[in-house]
Amino acid sequence: MFPQYDLIVVGAGHAGCEAAVAAANMGSRVLLATMNMQTIAQMSCNPAMGGVAKGQIVREIDALGGYSAIVTDETRVQFRMLNRSKGPAMWSPRAQSDRMQFAWKWRLMLEANPNIDFWQEMITGLVVKGGQVRGVRTGLGLEIESKAVVLTNGTFLNGIIHIGEKQFGGGRAGERAATGLTEQLLELGFESGRMKTGTPPRVDGRSLNYERMEVQEGDPEGGRFSFTPTRTPEKQIPCHVTYTNAKVHEVLRTGFDRSPMFTGRIRGMGPRYCPSIEDKIDRFAQRDSHQLFVEPEGWDTCEVYVNGFSSSLPEEVQYKALHLIPGFENAKMFRPGYAIEYDFFQPTQLQAWLETKRIKNLFFAGQINGTTGYEEAAAQGLIAGINAHLAIHDQEPFVLKRSDAYIGVLIDDLVNKGTKEPYRMFTSRAEYRILLRQDNADLRLTPLAESIGMQGLEQRMQRVREKEEARDAIMQFTRELSVAPEQINTFLQSKGSAPLKQKVKLHNILSRPHIEMQALCSVLPELNRFLQAYDEECISLATIDLKYSGYIEKERELVEKMNRLERVALPENLEYQKLRGLSAEAREKLLAIRPRTLGQASRISGVSPADISVLLVYLGR
């Protein structure tokens, strides 16, 4: 009935979709298995992609040949660049999407790939022989053969939905949980845990009074995630901002005695940085209000997402509290918020390329690894799909370093430190933020994608070469053009910058705060004429590299120091228990994770600089 596939991807959320297209675009024959073909790429929570650090991840996915950025651009209803008031390392793109169009566009792009087949059914087990995965087993008892499997089960593994004192099995509202896989993985020796996440109520936008809320428009100039020329919508839909108040909090507290979070019915740990409204009220009791973002679900629907009001309180408590929020006095609720508890597997059981250590050619990606967020899931799916293809063709795995990408930081954190709560990416987790900017993701990563055989990157690589040449040409021009005091002093004083006393090169002026390349065109005709040949993207890239050249060089020096440790390999079967100088905690962690290099060992929680010195002595370094 079925051919033998190169790869079977279990689950068609953000991780599963990216895993499938990555492997298929490298030439693998892929089967994408899902319990419901109508919910492929479903945005289970908020209808948005990107944000602080997450936006950088989406651009990196695009630079590597993934589809998340393209789908987001083609279905966006609003685009904003966050953190513009901060330095460029912190700039983070974010887009509101049309929820229905987003899922539909993903499905059409998947179906357009001749290397991807589909199967709608629950996958209840794996076929494992000789320590290697050989396929999957379905709820109907069918066995489908493959050379590799990627599990991207999201919140479906033994999922339980909680609303007040009510609880029922489910992986998402209206969908059943997945069973069987956890139990088999435990029998195979894997360690599992429970995590929790939540979602807010959905309301009828026709019943809201937007005049009582603050308007949050998109960027006037628009913007896009993808480095390819995606569609730009002619208009954008505004979001709105409102706030809870003391009366809202008072009503919500009346349901605390029936809250599954406070009564202990939920065992899983929830996300620290995206807490439920009841958790916010409990943890920040001194605050009288919390900000809420009122986000449209799409162009043609009245459904609205109440970002910041995630809750698992009884539905009648949620409904009563909503009506006390400014603008929500007559709100009609489509469905209440809920919490969902599900199984995950400690990611320290994975190699740096997301293959499990216990079972060859079996990969985990997404929330099964303890992460939260579409972007984190999609990034893992992409890397797992790439490495599944490489594994079945006996090629070296593809591993991004922390200095290569936010995706590298994400996976390195997971496999070396594990997680006790849903892991979310932040810019603060990255040591090399000025190198890992959202604007240069294509320069960093597209050549790497081409080198491992990702197909269809010819135009992208041409754009990378043109972008690099343009940046270099602009930077060289600024080093050669001399600027006299009489040309620019009036402009500098208007910006609060010290006037010149003698001629200087343009790049020295551009290194000053608040002096931008485009603004200088009004007083320097030579610069204005020169820049006519270049687009805004290239000009911005050159300006950032000029302004932050000192910081960039320092970070590159730090990267080289760390790479020296990365080049020191550790024997796979090193007997850490016999190295007396190691601390007891270091022995335990090193034995569990089995780092491949000294650099990886240095990033494991509980391994101190003193422990690294012991390893250096042992290795004769």
Side-chain angles (χ1 to χ4, degrees):
M1 181 175 175
F2 296 97
Q4 184 190 54
Y5 288 95
D6 294 316
L7 173 65
I8 296 175
V9 178
V10 180
H14 300 268
C17 289
E18 288 289 5
V21 296
N25 284 339
M26 294 181 76
S28 285
R29 188 170 186 182
V30 179
L31 177 70
L32 182 58
T34 174
M35 291 196 293
N36 187 351
M37 290 280 289
Q38 305 308 312
T39 57
I40 288 174
Q42 179 75 28
M43 293 178 123
S44 305
C45 204
N46 63 319
M49 290 288 281
V52 178
K54 292 169 173 280
Q56 282 87 330
I57 288 177
V58 177
R59 297 214 92 191
E60 290 176 351
I61 291 169
D62 185 70
L64 289 166
Y67 287 2
S68 288
I70 296 172
V71 173
T72 301
D73 285 351
E74 294 291 335
T75 62
R76 67 191 182 278
V77 300
Q78 188 192 95
F79 183 92
R80 295 176 65 217
M81 185 66 75
L82 307 183
N83 286 339
R84 277 287 194 185
S85 61
K86 301 180 181 179
M90 303 295 287
W91 296 352
S92 303
R94 185 180 190 272
Q96 292 291 132
S97 288
D98 183 303
R99 185 189 297 275
M100 290 183 286
Q101 287 186 16
F102 183 93
W104 184 241
K105 179 66 177 179
W106 248 118
R107 177 164 174 172
L108 292 179
M109 292 186 77
L110 289 166
E111 290 182 354
N113 194 313
N115 282 340
I116 299 176
D117 291 344
F118 302 86
W119 185 251
Q120 179 175 292
E121 194 184 348
M122 184 190 296
I123 303 301
T124 56
L126 301 169
V127 178
V128 179
K129 298 177 182 177
Q132 180 170 332
V133 71
R134 300 290 185 179
V136 299
R137 188 174 296 107
T138 76
L140 290 175
L142 304 173
E143 287 194 3
I144 309 174
E145 293 183 45
S146 67
K147 299 173 183 176
V149 172
V150 178
L151 295 183
T152 68
N153 302 83
T155 59
F156 282 76
L157 290 178
N158 293 324
I160 298 176
I161 291 174
H162 297 267
I163 304 176
E165 296 175 304
K166 303 165 186 173
Q167 65 179 51
F168 46 91
R172 187 164 47 208
E175 298 180 61
R176 59 178 175 161
T179 57
L181 271 173
T182 293
E183 292 72 19
Q184 183 185 13
L185 291 170
L186 291 175
E187 290 176 2
L188 290 168
F190 287 89
E191 173 195 352
S192 75
R194 295 285 278 177
M195 279 192 176
K196 166 252 176 189
T197 189
T199 193
R202 309 302 199 272
V203 299
D204 187 339
R206 298 169 299 181
S207 65
L208 301 182
N209 181 3
Y210 291 106
E211 292 183 0
R212 297 206 63 196
M213 307 180 202
E214 301 170 14
V215 180
Q216 190 178 64
E217 301 281 0
D219 290 349
E221 67 276 13
R224 63 172 185 258
F225 271 109
S226 181
F227 293 101
T228 62
T230 51
R231 181 182 65 89
T232 301
E234 296 179 0
K235 61 178 182 176
Q236 300 185 66
I237 302 178
C239 296
H240 290 80
V241 178
T242 187
Y243 299 85
T244 64
N245 52 56
K247 290 183 178 179
V248 174
H249 298 181
E250 184 180 341
V251 169
L252 290 171
R253 286 191 183 96
T254 65
F256 278 15
D257 61 337
R258 291 176 288 162
S259 164
M261 187 176 72
F262 295 137
T263 58
R265 284 194 298 278
I266 293 180
R267 294 184 292 113
M269 181 65 71
R272 179 196 307 252
Y273 303 104
C274 188
S276 63
I277 188 65
E278 55 263 38
D279 197 19
K280 291 180 194 175
I281 294 170
D282 184 57
R283 285 165 53 188
F284 308 107
Q286 74 280 8
R287 293 187 57 177
D288 292 329
S289 69
H290 293 281
Q291 192 175 46
L292 303 176
F293 296 93
V294 184
E295 301 176 344
E297 296 264 355
W299 293 106
D300 304 313
T301 178
C302 64
E303 188 172 356
V304 168
Y305 181 90
V306 191
N307 194 341
F309 204 80
S310 175
S311 180
S312 59
L313 290 170
E315 60 272 24
E316 69 273 13
V317 175
Q318 295 183 41
Y319 187 72
K320 187 176 180 181
L322 273 175
H323 282 192
L324 298 172
I325 297 170
F328 281 71
E329 292 82 1
N330 299 305
K332 296 178 181 178
M333 191 160 61
F334 281 174
R335 64 176 171 86
Y338 61 85
I340 183 165
E341 196 178 11
Y342 56 93
D343 293 334
F344 83 104
F345 289 82
Q346 269 298 343
T348 52
Q349 300 170 101
L350 303 176
Q351 304 283 8
W353 51 95
L354 298 182
E355 182 182 18
T356 67
K357 295 174 180 177
R358 290 185 174 275
I359 305 297
K360 184 175 174 57
N361 289 359
L362 174 63
F363 296 78
F364 292 173
Q367 285 176 284
I368 192 173
N369 290 337
T371 61
T372 181
Y374 308 145
E375 303 83 1
E376 290 88 344
Q380 294 171 72
L382 177 76
I383 299 301
I386 288 171
N387 280 310
H389 172 86
L390 295 174
I392 61 179
H393 289 88
D394 297 319
Q395 297 180 43
E396 284 295 308
F398 179 64
V399 178
L400 291 172
K401 300 190 294 295
R402 298 180 74 89
S403 55
D404 290 331
Y406 271 88
I407 297 174
V409 175
L410 163 69
I411 295 174
D412 188 76
D413 278 352
L414 291 173
V415 301
N416 289 321
K417 300 175 182 177
T419 186
K420 294 181 179 178
E421 60 187 62
Y423 179 101
R424 179 180 179 179
M425 178 53 70
F426 292 100
T427 51
S428 59
R429 296 191 191 273
E431 306 94 309
Y432 312 114
R433 290 187 288 278
I434 196 66
L435 295 180
L436 308 183
R437 305 188 311 271
Q438 55 83 30
D439 62 290
N440 67 6
D442 54 340
L443 306 190
R444 291 184 277 119
L445 299 176
T446 301
L448 296 180
E450 184 187 50
S451 70
I452 59 172
M454 187 66 72
Q455 299 171 16
L457 299 180
E458 295 80 8
Q459 290 184 336
R460 288 176 179 266
M461 280 303 303
Q462 179 62 27
R463 175 58 179 161
V464 165
R465 287 188 286 269
E466 291 172 355
K467 197 169 168 181
E468 288 177 328
E469 290 170 3
R471 175 199 61 192
D472 295 344
I474 295 169
M475 292 177 72
Q476 185 62 29
F477 181 84
T478 66
R479 294 189 186 103
E480 294 174 354
L481 180 65
S482 294
V483 181
E486 61 269 20
Q487 289 178 280
I488 201 169
N489 275 352
T490 301
F491 172 83
L492 292 177
Q493 288 172 329
S494 72
K495 297 290 184 180
S497 191
L500 299 182
K501 295 180 180 179
Q502 60 186 25
K503 277 189 174 184
V504 299
K505 298 299 183 184
L506 178 57
H507 76 90
N508 290 319
I509 298 171
L510 282 166
S511 66
R512 296 184 179 192
H514 312 301
I515 305 298
E516 299 300 328
M517 185 93 72
Q518 296 283 32
L520 286 171
C521 289
S522 62
V523 294
L524 298 176
E526 310 99 305
L527 176 64
N528 187 46
R529 285 193 297 271
F530 179 79
L531 293 182
Q532 294 300 314
Y534 302 102
D535 61 28
E536 186 178 340
E537 184 179 359
C538 296
I539 295 169
S540 176
L541 176 66
T543 303
I544 293 169
D545 280 358
L546 276 166
K547 278 188 176 296
Y548 296 90
S549 58
Y551 296 101
I552 291 171
E553 188 56 38
K554 285 181 180 178
E555 285 201 353
R556 284 178 176 153
E557 290 173 3
L558 290 172
V559 168
E560 180 52 35
K561 286 180 181 178
M562 181 53 69
N563 283 344
R564 292 172 196 163
L565 291 179
E566 295 294 345
R567 287 192 283 267
V568 179
L570 291 170
E572 188 175 345
N573 297 314
L574 179 57
E575 296 178 313
Y576 294 103
Q577 67 273 19
K578 293 185 179 179
L579 299 184
R580 294 186 178 181
L582 292 176
S583 67
E585 184 180 6
R587 283 197 199 96
E588 179 184 341
K589 297 289 181 65
L590 291 166
L591 282 167
I593 295 174
R594 290 282 177 191
R596 303 175 73 217
T597 68
L598 202 60
Q600 184 184 355
S602 71
R603 297 189 297 276
I604 297 173
S605 299
V607 177
S608 69
D611 296 317
I612 297 300
S613 296
V614 171
L615 292 174
L616 280 168
V617 171
Y618 171 80
L619 295 169
R621 298 297 181 102

